Amino acid sequence: MFIAVYLFIIIVCIVYFEKCLRRNAKFPELSRRLPFIGHAHLFVGDSVHLWKIAQRISRESLQNGGLVTISFGPKKVYAVTDPEDINTVANLSMEKSYIYGFSRPWLGDGLFTADVLTWRNNRRLLNQAFKHTILDGFVDVFNNQARSLVDELAAEADLEKIYILNKLSLHSLRLVFKTILGVSDQEVTPEKFNSYLETNNILHNIFTKRFQKFWLHSDIVFNRTKLKIEQDYAVAVLHGVNAMVLKNRKEIRRLNLENGTQDYSGEQKPFIDLLIEIAEEKGLSDMEVIHELATFIAAGHDTVPYTLLYTLMCVGSHPPVQQRIYEELQQVLGSDDVTKQNLSSLVYLEATIKETMRLYPIAPVVSRVTDCDVKLKNPISSTYFCYFLINCEILQYHQGPVSLCLHHHPVWGSDVEHFKPERWLDPTTLPENAFAGFSTGKRNCIGKTFAMMSMKTTLAHLLRQYRVTADITRMEAKLDIILKPAFNHWISLEWRDK
Ligand code: HEM
């Protein structure tokens, strides 16, 4: 009898709670919300499933005029897909959402995860390391690494299928170790690089699992799981490498200062030296420097290889695009190396990378918290009026290969679904605020010029030497922190001068 009464009271409460929510719902909400937990159940599954959910959210958001709400229990998230709204949010809210906090044991107060106050200060200081004049000094390193990659791939040329991702990751990690840490290939064995990559992937996996299982969002629960033990171990391994590099670098700097010498013989000094200088000036601890290094290594090498892979796959799937790139390379470079002067003439290659990033952005979801009211366009009516979103969390969903969102928004025109690098050649014809491959607003990617320069150099060397074949329409993707290929991401390479 008592059980029946309790059940009755619970059902009445649920119905009342639901009615209140619906009455107060000002915004369209994602379908399939459950009482109390909201949409949290939709995210449970593997990372292929997570990508499908992200695409569904972005599709529903666009169908609802550019905004849809998602509930995680009492927490409400606004998924924004309208270009104007995304621009508004990105410019007003610099604070990252609590989900980024999952990576704090690894990245600490590094630029990517830092709170706004710390971020403002550090971004200003670190911006100087990413100026064009500084990055120009890395072009020789980009060329040397690209040449090594071309040579390494020779053994696999003419095979029917190559899974090139691991080689691209290794290439990007070496590049980052050289330019960010000042560590040459000879100082780190291939096994150590591979173990760094594996550990890095383990961490991605742990963060994704934690995000998908909403009960693990709480530190109290998560800290009692096996995942936490695995996370601690992985973080210790990566920090161990960073700490060792930092110690060696400080020693080299000390000796250089004592002897009045420098050890980068004409090359640009690595980012770590600037960081050590800032740390000495500001009294930062070694752990703070390690967190910043971890951030730049992660952000630098996690992103580039995936964008390179997707570009090669797009190029391999579109022979006329490949032919035009080849002709541009012949005309601009011939058989010469890339230089800071000729790099800017590779306009069609750059357009191809941007078009790839439009269709396959490695960071398709960016999450922010607002600390002020944000006025957005009315997502339901076609007339424009405004809503106030108060202290809410906002997700920007831009793009997905099959879904309609920022990078697939109708503002791109009727050929929005086509891979068409030509659309980038005349900037005056591009839609406003509709590209966020490097994010947008003040807290966008600090490494975007570095990334573009290194990717253009690598692709110039590769595509001059090899003809690529691929079929990107068969690739399946997963969302494992970033957009990664899950299946069918092979390419084949053929020597051009055979
Ligand atoms: C194709 C290559 C790259 C892409 C597509 C990319 C994309 C992005 C995106 C979308 C964000 C914003 C993420 C968010 O707010 O959640 C970001 C931030 C960041 N990126 Fe990149 N990135 C790339 C390469 C690089 C490289 C090479 C570096 C460093 C060498 C780098 C360093 C960073 C850092 C430190 C941040 C945090 C910036 C801040 O909060 O001020 N990225 N990147």
Side-chain angles (χ1 to χ4, degrees), residues 96 100 111-112 119 123 130 180 295-296 299-300 303-304 307 357 362-363 366 368 437-439 443-447 450-451 455:
K96 300 279 177 91
Y100 290 67
L111 209 55
F112 189 72
W119 170 78
R123 174 87 188 217
F130 289 86
I180 304 277
T295 297
F296 276 86
T303 48
V304 168
T307 306
M357 289 175 70
I362 52 101
V366 172
R368 294 274 194 274
F438 288 110
S439 191
R443 202 161 181 176
N444 66 359
C445 175
I446 195 173
F450 177 105
M455 290 191 297

Side-chain angles (χ1 to χ4, degrees), residues 156-171:
E156 304 194 26
D158 300 331
L159 291 180
E160 203 182 328
K161 287 180 182 177
I162 310 176
Y163 286 93
I164 196 178
L165 182 61
N166 199 37
K167 284 215 161 47
L168 295 175
S169 296
L170 215 59
H171 159 76

Side-chain angles (χ1 to χ4, degrees), residues 272-287:
I272 190 170
D273 281 12
L274 172 78
L275 211 54
I276 295 172
E277 279 161 27
I278 293 174
E280 282 166 359
E281 211 182 295
K282 302 265 161 200
L284 301 183
S285 68
D286 274 3
M287 197 32 120

